């Protein structure tokens, strides 16, 4: 089955760290740029990060630059988002999403998401 | 950054009616690179349209997208019960890519 499955969310205190993972299956993982998109409770969508198939290109939204890093392990068909210095406004469901066109920047396959809550 | 404004916030319609959703951009969207997504409670977004009139795989032909420059429209020709959901537009013509705030299509 073609799918993305996120994990690693949870409750963390402000200033803390969390590492999210995204496991891919059913498609040629290395052929796709994979992204993270988040959605704060009851709010709209915000693009967070993207990484190309070979990891040659990595992109981060200004709101997370210097705090988040993205990486991928093509041997394991997985993607990670390391989140440091977390703030309350990072609270959201984090989705991983596939770009079908390779830096086309729209998303044809999404995971179900993992919830990150930043609170003391 | 391109700001996308969706209207209306809520659209109250009955099954079988036509739904017209608007997405306006604060500046012209490069190459008309605009997509539409549907989201139901507790679920991930689902790609409906891109470029902006190309239908994604498996999307029924009652969904159509149109527009250019700063004004784009998603039309659902005849609402089915499963179409009552939240709809977002997204531009991917320039960085950073941005999403609209959403239009909720609810059953009257």
């Amino acid at each position: 089955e073609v799918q993305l499955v996120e994990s690693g969310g949870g409750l963390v205190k402000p200033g803390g760290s969390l590492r999210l993972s995204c496991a891919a299956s059913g498609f040629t993982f290395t052929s796709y740029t994979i992204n993270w998109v988040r959605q704060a409770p009851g709010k709209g969508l915000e693009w967070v990060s993207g990484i190309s198939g070979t990891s040659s290109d990595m992109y981060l939204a200004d709101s997370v630059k210097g705090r988040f890093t993205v990486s991928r392990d093509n041997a394991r068909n997985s993607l990670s988002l390391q989140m440091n210095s977390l703030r309350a406004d990072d609270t959201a469901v984090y989705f991983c999403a596939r770009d079908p066109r390779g830096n086309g920047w729209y998303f044809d396959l999404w995971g179900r998401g993992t919830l990150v809550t930043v609170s003391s | 950054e391109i700001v996308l404004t969706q209207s209306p916030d809520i659209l109250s319609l009955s099954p079988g009616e036509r739904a017209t959703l608007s997405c306006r951009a604060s500046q012209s969207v490069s190459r008309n690179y605009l997509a539409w997504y549907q989201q139901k409670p507790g679920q991930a977004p689902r790609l409906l349209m891109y470029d902006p009139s190309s239908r994604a795989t498996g999307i029924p032909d009652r969904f159509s997208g149109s527009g250019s420059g700063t004004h784009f429209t998603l039309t659902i020709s005849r609402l089915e019960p499963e179409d009552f959901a939240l709809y977002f537009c997204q531009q991917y013509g320039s960085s950073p890519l941005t999403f609209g705030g959403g239009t909720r299509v609810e059953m009257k």
Side-chain angles (χ1 to χ4, degrees):
Chain A
E1 183 184 358
V2 176
Q3 64 177 356
L4 297 167
V5 179
E6 304 91 339
S7 60
L11 175 63
V12 61
K13 289 181 168 50
S17 297
L18 207 57
R19 187 178 185 88
L20 305 183
S21 296
C22 172
S25 58
F27 63 95
T28 305
F29 186 62
T30 53
S31 295
Y32 294 90
T33 294
I34 307 291
N35 296 260
W36 290 97
V37 178
R38 68 185 179 184
Q39 186 172 36
K43 303 293 186 183
L45 298 161
E46 180 189 15
W47 173 80
V48 173
S49 177
I51 183 168
S52 63
T54 60
S55 302
S56 58
D57 298 301
M58 288 176 274
Y59 309 89
L60 289 166
D62 286 347
S63 58
V64 305
K65 267 181 194 167
R67 300 187 299 123
F68 290 13
T69 56
V70 63
S71 61
R72 64 192 290 163
D73 182 345
N74 286 342
R76 296 176 186 270
N77 284 0
S78 69
L79 190 78
S80 294
L81 185 69
Q82 177 65 42
M83 305 186 295
N84 300 328
S85 304
L86 283 161
R87 310 186 304 221
D89 63 359
D90 294 316
T91 294
V93 174
Y94 285 72
F95 299 99
C96 56
R98 184 180 76 174
D99 169 356
R101 211 148 65 178
N103 291 356
W105 301 111
Y106 64 93
F107 311 117
D108 73 332
L109 176 67
W110 297 64
R112 296 176 68 92
T114 187
L115 176 62
V116 173
T117 304
V118 184
S119 174
S120 54
Chain B
E1 172 175 321
I2 295 179
V3 176
L4 299 178
T5 303
Q6 291 186 242
S7 61
D9 290 336
I10 300 174
L11 198 51
S12 296
L13 295 168
S14 301
E17 289 194 294
R18 181 184 189 89
T20 303
L21 287 67
S22 173
C23 177
R24 289 190 182 270
S26 60
Q27 54 190 280
S28 186
V29 176
S30 176
R31 290 173 285 185
N32 297 322
Y33 275 172
L34 190 111
W36 290 92
Y37 300 88
Q38 177 193 69
Q39 188 179 32
K40 296 180 180 177
Q43 297 184 18
R46 173 193 182 198
L47 177 67
L48 298 174
M49 311 293 303
Y50 61 97
D51 288 351
S53 57
S54 297
R55 217 171 283 114
T57 302
I59 302 303
D61 61 8
R62 64 180 181 273
F63 290 90
S64 62
S66 63
S68 62
T70 61
H71 188 209
F72 298 86
T73 301
L74 175 71
T75 302
I76 311 171
S77 58
R78 292 174 313 279
L79 282 165
E80 297 287 341
E82 62 268 27
D83 299 336
F84 292 91
L86 185 58
Y87 292 83
F88 293 100
C89 57
Q90 178 223 333
Q91 70 82 21
Y92 47 99
S94 59
S95 178
L97 60 90
T98 50
F99 293 86
T103 290
R104 183 174 306 281
V105 178
E106 66 173 28
M107 200 175 298
K108 187 187 287 186

